[in-house]
Amino acid sequence: VSFLGGEPTLWPHLGDAIGSCTRHHICTDLTTNGMTLKADLVEQLSSAGLDLLNISVDGLRATAHSRKC
């Protein structure tokens, strides 16, 4: 299950959803812009069993690689 779009770390049920997937042996991944990542949230995601954490990075100015699609 992929948690992405908007900012999934703002969803109050994220830890519970990841935990439920983990208990059912379902792989989870989360894509975030990283703005809300603090030590306590990282610990919560880890404890819930998150498998993959992706952090999308946006620069302050456009580059030749800014538009890959």
Side-chain angles (χ1 to χ4, degrees):
V1 173
S2 295
F3 297 92
L4 54 95
E7 180 47 50
T9 60
L10 298 176
W11 185 40
H13 307 289
L14 180 61
D16 293 334
I18 292 170
S20 180
C21 290
T22 299
R23 286 189 298 280
H24 290 92
H25 308 287
I26 299 169
C27 184
T28 54
D29 71 88
L30 170 70
T31 300
T32 176
N33 63 20
M35 296 299 290
T36 63
L37 285 182
K38 306 281 190 263
D40 59 331
L41 178 57
V42 173
E43 180 61 36
Q44 177 189 359
L45 296 172
S46 176
S47 295
L50 182 67
D51 293 296
L52 299 168
L53 175 62
N54 307 297
I55 302 173
S56 66
V57 178
D58 194 5
L60 297 176
R61 59 182 178 204
T63 69
H65 305 288
S66 293
R67 295 198 172 259
K68 293 181 181 178
C69 55

